[in-house]
Amino acid sequence: MAIIALVAFLGIIYMLPSLGSVKQSVFGKFLPDDVINLGLDLKGGIHLTLGVDVDKALANSLIQTGRDVRDQARENGIPVLRPTSSNDGQHLQLVLSNADKRQEMDDLLSQHFQVLKVDGVESAPEGHLRYTVSFISRYKDNLARMTVDQAVKTIRNRIDEFGVAEPDIRKQADNRIQIQLPGLQDPERAIKLIGKTAHLEFKVVDDNADPDKAQKGVLPPGEELSVLRHRNPDGSYLERPIVLRSDAVMTGEYISDARASFDHNNQSYVALSFTPSGARQFERVTGENVKKRLAIVLDGKVYSAPTIQEKISGGRASITGRFSTEEARDLAIVLRAGALPAPVTILEQRSVGPSLGQESIEKGIHSALIGGIAVVAFMAFYYGYAGVVAAWPWGSTLCSSSPGWPALGLP
């Protein structure tokens, strides 16, 4: 009995902090800090199922590997043109402009790029050779698994920054992620925060290119058409065409911190801090492009394109774009948490109210009362007075202390 009483007392002590009125009372400071975290059924919230576009991550990785092949080949005196990807993103074409260098190209691929396999080599105009390469199956499987794992980690970091208590985030089959956010007050904002890829790039603007011709498909080699976002005072956005160099001079992987701040005109912006290596690279990039515009590209859209007046040292930069305070804070959150390795899509979205859990609790109480009454009635009917005593809370103690009760065959 003493052990049962002690366990019951400790259970009550650890249960009381979960009652708001008790936690806020004068006795709250004497109670444990841990509380019972309520799930969606008791607290309400949203349930999301996300699909991770693993094929897009594989395509991006293949393009980046192709650029690495080209850079290393040129360092070794092997002339390789800019790699191009197939429509499905599963294959990459590398053009060797000097067919006499084929053996050296084969050695480079076999020794330094073992994750690639050569699907074919064919002749191209002007005496060139066109290599078609792709990832080996084992590497594709590992990259797909790591992509989903990194997406889970990035989403968890974003939600932690957002301030949702006890989120449930888990990986599922078929490259899916399940997210449950109990007690969420602003689901639309959270969904935008979770789904933003947040791929940050710094690209040089080509001010000599004609945006009108670019919109018709006339673009110089190695350049691309993008849009420059401009936020109007009424909150709407105006997008203007802008031509950029395709290759990013720097990416967001070098960001160590991002914070929302205000300028002297009380306009919100995002202040960036780079890692030591990122600071050195940013200093080199700005030094090489003085008097040129440097576009800050997030998820394919240009948020600002300031002109570089001089080499910038110190490892700091800023993203401006007439953000609202909430937009600047959310952008800082996703940049601190890191970019998603691949785009995600919302496959399922459900808002769950706390009424379901409350209904389950009420049904549980009712079933316990009805079941208890039924048990007592049966014991009284079948065993008579002995059954009543056995069913009473202290009946088992009375039965075990009296030598006459076991002969009745009580359970």
Side-chain angles (χ1 to χ4, degrees), residues 250 254-256 273-286 311-316:
M250 195 171 175
Y254 297 101
I255 293 177
S256 62
S273 298
F274 296 109
T275 62
S277 60
R280 292 191 296 269
Q281 185 170 345
F282 190 68
E283 184 176 0
R284 176 184 60 79
V285 167
T286 54
K311 180 169 64 176
I312 302 174
S313 58
R316 295 184 180 276

Coordinates of all heavy atoms in Angstrom, one line a residue, residues 250 254-256 273-286 311-316:
M250 N 28.8 33.3 -56.2 CA 28.8 32.9 -54.7 C 27.4 32.4 -54.4 O 26.4 32.8 -55.0 CB 29.1 34.2 -53.9 CG 29.5 33.8 -52.5 SD 30.1 35.3 -51.6 CE 30.3 34.7 -50.0
Y254 N 27.7 30.0 -47.7 CA 28.7 30.6 -46.9 C 28.1 31.6 -45.9 O 28.9 32.3 -45.2 CB 29.7 31.4 -47.8 CG 30.4 30.6 -48.8 CD1 30.0 30.5 -50.1 CD2 31.5 29.9 -48.4 CE1 30.7 29.7 -51.0 CE2 32.2 29.1 -49.3 CZ 31.8 29.0 -50.6 OH 32.5 28.2 -51.5
I255 N 26.8 31.6 -45.7 CA 26.2 32.5 -44.8 C 26.3 31.9 -43.4 O 25.9 30.7 -43.2 CB 24.7 32.8 -45.1 CG1 24.7 33.6 -46.4 CG2 24.0 33.5 -44.0 CD1 23.3 33.8 -46.9
S256 N 26.7 32.7 -42.4 CA 26.8 32.2 -41.0 C 25.7 32.7 -40.2 O 25.3 32.1 -39.2 CB 28.1 32.6 -40.4 OG 28.3 34.0 -40.3
S273 N 25.8 37.9 -42.6 CA 27.2 37.7 -42.1 C 27.7 36.4 -42.8 O 27.0 35.4 -42.8 CB 27.3 37.6 -40.6 OG 26.8 38.8 -40.0
F274 N 28.9 36.5 -43.3 CA 29.5 35.3 -44.0 C 30.5 34.6 -43.1 O 31.0 35.2 -42.1 CB 30.2 35.8 -45.3 CG 29.3 36.4 -46.3 CD1 29.4 37.7 -46.6 CD2 28.4 35.6 -47.0 CE1 28.5 38.3 -47.5 CE2 27.6 36.1 -48.0 CZ 27.7 37.4 -48.2
T275 N 30.7 33.4 -43.4 CA 31.8 32.6 -42.7 C 33.2 33.2 -43.1 O 33.2 34.0 -44.1 CB 31.7 31.2 -43.1 OG1 32.0 31.1 -44.5 CG2 30.4 30.5 -42.8
P276 N 34.2 32.9 -42.4 CA 35.6 33.4 -42.8 C 35.9 33.2 -44.3 O 36.4 34.1 -45.0 CB 36.5 32.7 -41.8 CG 35.7 32.5 -40.6 CD 34.3 32.1 -41.1
S277 N 35.7 32.0 -44.7 CA 36.0 31.7 -46.1 C 35.0 32.4 -47.1 O 35.4 32.9 -48.1 CB 35.9 30.2 -46.4 OG 34.6 29.7 -46.1
G278 N 33.7 32.6 -46.6 CA 32.8 33.3 -47.4 C 33.1 34.8 -47.5 O 32.9 35.5 -48.5
A279 N 33.6 35.3 -46.4 CA 34.0 36.7 -46.3 C 35.2 37.0 -47.3 O 35.2 38.0 -48.0 CB 34.5 37.1 -44.9
R280 N 36.1 36.1 -47.4 CA 37.2 36.2 -48.3 C 36.7 36.1 -49.8 O 37.2 36.9 -50.6 CB 38.3 35.2 -48.1 CG 39.1 35.3 -46.8 CD 40.3 34.4 -46.7 NE 39.9 33.0 -46.7 CZ 39.6 32.3 -45.6 NH1 39.7 32.9 -44.4 NH2 39.3 31.0 -45.6
Q281 N 35.8 35.2 -50.0 CA 35.3 35.1 -51.4 C 34.4 36.3 -51.8 O 34.5 36.8 -52.9 CB 34.4 33.8 -51.5 CG 33.9 33.5 -52.9 CD 33.3 32.2 -53.0 OE1 33.5 31.3 -52.1 NE2 32.6 31.9 -54.1
F282 N 33.7 36.8 -50.8 CA 32.8 38.0 -51.1 C 33.7 39.2 -51.4 O 33.4 40.0 -52.3 CB 31.9 38.3 -50.0 CG 30.9 39.3 -50.2 CD1 29.8 39.1 -51.2 CD2 30.9 40.6 -49.6 CE1 28.9 40.0 -51.4 CE2 29.9 41.5 -49.9 CZ 28.9 41.2 -50.8
E283 N 34.8 39.3 -50.7 CA 35.8 40.4 -50.9 C 36.4 40.3 -52.3 O 36.5 41.3 -53.0 CB 36.8 40.4 -49.8 CG 37.8 41.6 -49.9 CD 38.8 41.6 -48.8 OE1 38.7 40.7 -47.9 OE2 39.7 42.5 -48.8
R284 N 36.7 39.1 -52.7 CA 37.3 38.9 -54.0 C 36.3 39.2 -55.1 O 36.6 39.9 -56.1 CB 37.8 37.4 -54.2 CG 38.3 37.1 -55.5 CD 38.7 35.6 -55.6 NE 37.6 34.8 -55.4 CZ 36.6 34.5 -56.3 NH1 36.7 35.0 -57.5 NH2 35.7 33.7 -56.0
V285 N 35.0 38.7 -54.9 CA 34.0 38.9 -55.9 C 33.7 40.4 -56.1 O 33.6 40.9 -57.2 CB 32.7 38.1 -55.5 CG1 31.5 38.6 -56.4 CG2 32.9 36.6 -55.7
T286 N 33.5 41.1 -55.0 CA 33.2 42.6 -55.1 C 34.4 43.3 -55.7 O 34.3 44.3 -56.4 CB 32.9 43.1 -53.8 OG1 33.9 42.8 -52.8 CG2 31.6 42.5 -53.3
K311 N 35.5 47.4 -53.3 CA 35.7 46.1 -52.7 C 35.2 46.1 -51.3 O 35.5 47.0 -50.5 CB 37.2 45.7 -52.8 CG 37.4 44.3 -52.2 CD 38.9 43.9 -52.5 CE 39.9 44.8 -51.8 NZ 41.3 44.2 -52.0
I312 N 34.3 45.1 -51.0 CA 33.7 45.1 -49.7 C 34.4 44.0 -48.8 O 34.4 42.8 -49.2 CB 32.2 44.7 -49.8 CG1 31.5 45.8 -50.7 CG2 31.5 44.7 -48.5 CD1 30.1 45.5 -51.0
S313 N 34.9 44.4 -47.7 CA 35.6 43.5 -46.8 C 34.8 43.5 -45.5 O 33.8 44.3 -45.3 CB 37.0 43.9 -46.5 OG 37.1 45.3 -46.0
G314 N 35.1 42.6 -44.6 CA 34.4 42.5 -43.3 C 33.4 41.4 -43.3 O 32.9 41.1 -42.2
G315 N 33.1 40.8 -44.4 CA 32.1 39.6 -44.4 C 30.7 40.0 -44.1 O 30.0 39.2 -43.5
R316 N 30.2 41.1 -44.5 CA 28.8 41.5 -44.3 C 28.2 42.0 -45.6 O 28.9 42.7 -46.4 CB 28.7 42.6 -43.2 CG 29.2 42.1 -41.8 CD 29.0 43.2 -40.8 NE 29.4 42.7 -39.5 CZ 28.7 42.0 -38.7 NH1 27.5 41.6 -39.0 NH2 29.2 41.6 -37.5

